[in-house]
Amino acid sequence: MSRTAQAPAAERARLRRLVAGLLVLLGCVLLGVTVGAAGASAAPRSAPADVPVTVRVGVPSSVPAVVPVRTMTVTAVVRRESTAALALPAAPAPPVTPTDPATPGGPGTVTIGINGVDGTPNSSIVVLLGITLLSVAPSLLLMMTSFTKIFVVLALTRNAMGLQGVPPNQVIAGLSLFLSLFIMGPVLSQVNDTGLQPYLHGSVTFSQAVETGQQPLRTFMLKQTRQEDLALMTRSANLPNPKDEAAVPMTTLIPAFMLSELRSAFIIGFVIFVPFLVIDLVVSSALMSMGMMMLPPVMVSLPFKILLFVLVDGWGLIVTALVGSYR
């Protein structure tokens, strides 16, 4: 074959080698990009290492050496993950054996601090006292105030008039309550000033507040209690006679005060019953004289009782007498 005929074949072989080299170069580049993206998606623990890959493109030995031979070297960078990034996690630590609780040094006791940090009462103690006061408030209202006598007097007044349900018990209890607050106002103010407020400000202890706060109540109850009732309760408890009023214990003073209040209430009730009893007697005699024995006298006397009570301003007289008995 002549040299002129071999020239186009050599050119075509040269083109094939160039295309093959370009394809190999493109494949190496794509391989490096794929490996680098996979390494970037994971969280590496150490810097990755770059691994150079060299691809040498040469001329096959079968091709004649008429055409100048050129060798192409392609270097692609393949990113390899460090072996440290693929390391397995560390083994878990062995469990710790629990220890027994420490034994207290002294005997087992529970201590509750009544006073707070700055001397004021602890908030828990204040809440406890408030709940206790709410639970015993009805008993304190009945035993240590004027509520008992006022309620009994108003109830006897209703019975004396012959009214069984008017005014109702709720009205009588409400009126008695507000009259008791009116009468006990100065006493409660003294209890608040001498006992409660100093304790809330932290100037006195709880025992001192109780001791000073009960003095106004003791003075009020001793003033309204008869000596005979005090002697009765003292003998019933087998206690020695107190030297003076300050030596009378509260456990003796409170029941004696209640007995005195009931006695005064029944005396006032008797005085209220007398005029209404006179009206009943007059009406009954009139009905008997007219032969109307089948007509209930209460039905006839009730309007006259109500009229008499309204004309003499009965509620005003009763309230004035009750309030004046504590002055």
Side-chain angles (χ1 to χ4, degrees):
M1 185 179 295
S2 63
R3 189 176 298 273
T4 305
Q6 293 178 353
E11 290 296 333
R12 287 194 297 270
R14 182 181 177 182
L15 290 175
R16 285 196 298 269
R17 288 195 298 268
L18 289 176
V19 172
L22 291 175
L23 292 176
V24 172
L25 176 61
L26 181 59
C28 293
V29 172
L30 293 177
L31 178 62
V33 172
T34 304
V35 175
S41 61
R45 298 187 182 179
S46 62
D50 295 337
V51 181
V53 178
T54 302
V55 180
R56 186 177 299 272
V57 180
V59 181
S61 58
S62 60
V63 179
V66 177
V67 182
V69 179
R70 293 183 180 180
T71 302
M72 183 181 297
T73 303
V74 180
T75 303
V77 179
V78 181
R79 187 173 299 275
R80 186 180 61 186
E81 290 293 331
S82 175
T83 57
L86 301 178
L88 295 176
V96 180
T97 305
T99 58
D100 296 333
T103 304
T109 57
V110 177
T111 303
I112 299 176
I114 296 179
N115 295 327
V117 178
D118 53 352
T120 59
N122 193 354
S123 59
S124 301
I125 299 300
V126 174
V127 173
L128 179 61
L129 291 177
I131 296 175
T132 305
L133 183 61
L134 290 177
S135 61
V136 301
S139 300
L140 296 178
L141 184 65
L142 292 175
M143 294 186 299
M144 303 177 66
T145 64
S146 58
F147 181 84
T148 302
K149 182 166 74 173
I150 296 174
F151 186 86
V152 171
V153 169
L154 295 179
L156 289 176
T157 302
R158 181 181 63 182
N159 293 334
M161 295 179 63
L163 301 173
Q164 301 299 325
V166 180
N169 291 330
Q170 292 82 357
V171 175
I172 294 178
L175 181 59
S176 303
L177 176 61
F178 283 101
L179 286 177
S180 300
L181 292 177
F182 176 76
I183 295 171
M184 300 295 297
V187 179
L188 297 178
S189 299
Q190 294 180 11
V191 173
N192 180 64
D193 296 337
T194 60
L196 181 60
Q197 292 302 324
Y199 173 66
L200 293 178
H201 288 86
S203 57
V204 296
T205 61
F206 179 74
S207 58
Q208 293 175 348
V210 173
E211 184 65 26
T212 56
Q214 71 178 355
Q215 294 303 323
L217 285 175
R218 285 179 57 88
T219 303
F220 171 78
M221 289 189 292
L222 286 171
K223 184 178 179 181
Q224 305 297 327
T225 305
R226 299 189 312 145
Q227 297 295 329
E228 292 81 359
D229 295 329
L230 283 175
L232 173 63
M233 298 307 303
T234 302
R235 290 194 302 269
S236 299
N238 295 325
L239 296 176
N241 293 330
K243 298 179 181 180
D244 52 6
E245 294 181 349
V248 178
M250 291 292 291
T251 55
T252 302
L253 178 59
I254 292 176
F257 170 74
M258 292 188 66
L259 290 177
S260 298
E261 290 289 282
L262 290 175
R263 180 178 181 275
S264 301
F266 277 89
I267 291 175
I268 297 174
F270 172 77
V271 175
I272 294 173
F273 254 96
V274 171
F276 296 112
L277 179 62
V278 172
I279 294 176
D280 286 336
L281 292 176
V282 172
V283 171
S284 298
S285 300
L287 292 176
M288 289 290 293
S289 62
M290 290 185 296
M292 299 180 179
M293 294 178 294
M294 301 300 296
L295 183 63
V298 177
M299 183 177 299
V300 180
S301 63
L302 181 59
F304 295 100
K305 292 179 182 180
I306 296 176
L307 179 63
L308 175 63
F309 193 77
V310 172
L311 291 178
V312 300
D313 191 14
W315 293 116
L317 293 176
I318 293 174
V319 170
T320 302
L322 288 174
V323 175
S325 62
Y326 292 98
R327 300 300 181 185

